[in-house]
């Protein structure tokens, strides 16, 4: 049987290696994150028609009006969430095609990822089985409330923008845990929240552009 992860030409491991080099030039320094980006076959998370563009530094459509984030932002958010620590449990809000969850899955013991669009959950679950990413649990639901059953989390990554930090999510962090999200509506910045006891330190970083975090499920 062919190895489902191997690609050719624009989808080959060599092309992915060039993407990793570019991430390094763009300022990603966490070698564990760079290694994870080098392993996960990004082309297999998107439509066949777009696969030749999988390793460009661009967001791509994944259907249902949603996008897969560009490789730089996935690496950047992962690096910020990890902050050099070993990760036990991680929560992602906004699974989409499951690429970011797969990258997190390389660095954490277990990942819980929540998506509000049922059809996307079905599609992504099937892909994850095929690719044998076994330490990722997909949940259909409104991630705004997090997933208390799996809490506390060492890190929480929100892949959709919102005007404030959802309160429920902050409370699901471990002491010393970190939450990374795009903050804002039209104008968004990357926000890192670090929990120390019951105080939450907020740091605002670069400008970003994400789809909105929406309430409820569909
Ligand atoms: N991490 C994804 C990026 C997906 S885009 C990837 O690697 O491809 C953001 C996703 O967040 C969309 O699929 C959208 O449906 C989802 N989303 C928006 N609001 C949500 C909510 N309240 N709960 C869960 N998912 C949500």
């Amino acid at each position: 049987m062919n190895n489902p992860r191997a690609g050719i030409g624009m989808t080959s491991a060599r092309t992915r290696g060039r993407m990793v080099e570019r991430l390094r030039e763009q300022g990603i320094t966490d070698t564990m994150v760079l290694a994870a980006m080098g392993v996960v076959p990004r082309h297999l998370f998107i439509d066949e028609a777009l696969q030749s563009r999988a390793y460009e530094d661009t967001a791509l459509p994944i259907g249902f009006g949603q996008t897969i984030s560009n490789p730089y932002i996935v690496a950047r958010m992962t690096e910020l969430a990890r902050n050099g620590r070993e990760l036990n449990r991680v929560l992602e809000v906004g699974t989409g095609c499951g690429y970011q969850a797969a990258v997190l899955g390389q660095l954490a013991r277990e990942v819980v990822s929540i998506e509000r669009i049922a059809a996307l959950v079905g599609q992504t679950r099937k892909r994850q089985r095929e690719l044998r990413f076994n330490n990722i649990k997909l949940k259909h639901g409104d991630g705004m409330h997090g997933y208390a059953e799996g809490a506390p989390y060492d890190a929480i990554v929100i892949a959709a923008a919102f005007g404030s930090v959802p309160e429920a999510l902050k409370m699901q962090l471990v002491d010393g845990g970190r939450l990374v999200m795009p903050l804002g509506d039209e104008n968004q910045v990357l926000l890192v929240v670090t929990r120390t006891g019951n105080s939450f330190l907020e740091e605002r970083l670069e400008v970003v552009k994400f789809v909105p975090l929406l309430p409820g499920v569909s």
Side-chain angles (χ1 to χ4, degrees), residues 66-67 92 94-95 97 100 115-117 120 142-143 159 213-214:
Q66 306 303 322
T67 51
E92 181 194 30
T95 315
C97 66
Q100 168 97 61
E115 169 59 54
R116 65 181 290 277
I117 301 175
L120 256 178
D142 180 354
L213 189 72
L214 299 173

Side-chain angles (χ1 to χ4, degrees), residues 54-109:
Y55 297 102
E56 293 174 15
D57 195 24
T58 179
L60 294 166
I62 55 171
F64 310 96
Q66 306 303 322
T67 51
I68 178 174
S69 306
N70 70 57
Y72 171 76
I73 201 70
V74 171
R76 178 77 173 131
M77 288 178 94
T78 307
E79 176 174 80
L80 288 167
R82 198 173 99 83
N83 198 28
R85 298 168 303 152
E86 273 190 29
L87 299 173
N88 183 23
R89 299 176 63 78
V90 172
L91 175 70
E92 181 194 30
V93 175
T95 315
C97 66
Y99 176 68
Q100 168 97 61
V103 171
L104 290 168
Q106 298 292 311
L107 299 162
R109 194 177 61 79

